Amino acid sequence: MKKAILTLAVLCGIGLMAGCVSSRITTIVGGDYDAKMNVTEYYVLPFGQVSLPGKWEKCGYVKSGRQQFFMNQDSVKVAVAFGRTEYFEWNQDGKLKGMDFLSTFYKWESEYFKSNGYEAMIIETDTASQYIIYRIYSETANTYFLVGVKSNGNVSNLSINYTDKWTEEEKISFLKNLYKS
């Protein structure tokens, strides 16, 4: 553990120096399964981190959406993506913040899915914790999303892909716990 912290500190130092030279933001991506804690950590610093309860394996990555996919032993798939509010084409000026950003995000996302034959519905909105939980579905798809924004402008996009292993309540609870982790 001490070696991991030292390595992270060195990488952060390198990232900070690189940030002084360039306007690009350097990220540090990592994480691993901790058998003692029975948790799989995943982080994209400086944007966010999650602690997935249990053992999860990486099973794919979508570069365009910066989504890392994970699968557990029950074949439940989740996706995790972190970024900034100004990374979205419709918010490059960074004017939309908090719930205004989230409402616009949901409208943008749901319009895209609806144009591709899916249905979309908001399940829960939490203004205090700054997140929206929604569902995108069709006859062959059923994905639950939690998109949240922190006061510093970092965005977390968490989702659970189609599975009949968990109830809707379990999926929603899982997403909330990930967001709060």
Side-chain angles (χ1 to χ4, degrees):
M1 182 70 170
K2 288 182 183 179
K3 184 177 178 183
I5 292 171
L6 179 60
T7 302
L8 183 59
V10 170
L11 290 173
C12 284
I14 292 169
L16 287 173
M17 287 187 283
C20 293
V21 176
S22 166
S23 63
R24 290 179 48 122
I25 295 177
T26 301
T27 59
I28 300 170
V29 179
D32 208 353
Y33 175 66
D34 182 335
K36 271 188 189 178
M37 303 274 294
N38 191 28
V39 67
T40 302
E41 300 289 345
Y42 177 67
Y43 53 85
V44 180
L45 300 176
F47 303 126
Q49 63 187 39
V50 292
S51 298
L52 298 156
K55 186 171 185 176
W56 295 77
E57 299 291 332
K58 290 181 180 178
C59 64
Y61 184 77
V62 176
K63 187 176 181 178
S64 63
R66 295 181 297 278
Q67 289 179 297
Q68 178 63 62
F69 287 83
F70 294 89
M71 185 168 49
N72 71 5
Q73 65 187 17
D74 294 328
S75 298
V76 174
K77 287 185 180 178
V78 300
V80 177
F82 299 112
R84 301 270 312 148
T85 57
E86 65 271 13
Y87 286 2
F88 294 87
E89 64 216 30
W90 40 265
N91 196 41
Q92 291 179 351
D93 59 6
K95 287 184 180 178
L96 294 173
K97 299 184 184 324
M99 292 308 292
D100 291 332
F101 171 84
L102 292 172
S103 295
T104 304
F105 179 95
Y106 173 75
K107 181 179 178 193
W108 172 71
E109 184 95 322
S110 64
E111 286 174 0
Y112 168 78
F113 280 108
K114 286 177 181 178
S115 73
N116 286 287
Y118 296 90
E119 297 292 325
M121 65 182 245
I122 292 178
I123 295 171
E124 182 179 321
T125 301
D126 187 322
T127 57
S129 296
Q130 301 284 297
Y131 68 75
I132 294 177
I133 298 174
Y134 60 97
R135 178 179 165 221
I136 303 292
Y137 60 99
S138 69
E139 288 183 24
T140 59
N142 190 24
T143 302
Y144 290 77
F145 293 86
L146 183 151
V147 177
V149 63
K150 305 290 183 182
S151 60
N152 63 4
N154 287 344
V155 178
S156 298
N157 188 344
L158 313 168
S159 65
I160 298 176
N161 292 335
Y162 177 83
T163 182
D164 58 0
K165 307 275 182 184
W166 295 353
T167 65
E168 180 176 76
E169 292 77 24
E170 289 172 317
K171 293 171 189 175
I172 292 168
S173 177
F174 180 84
L175 290 171
K176 287 179 184 179
N177 288 333
L178 276 188
Y179 184 65
K180 294 173 183 175
S181 71

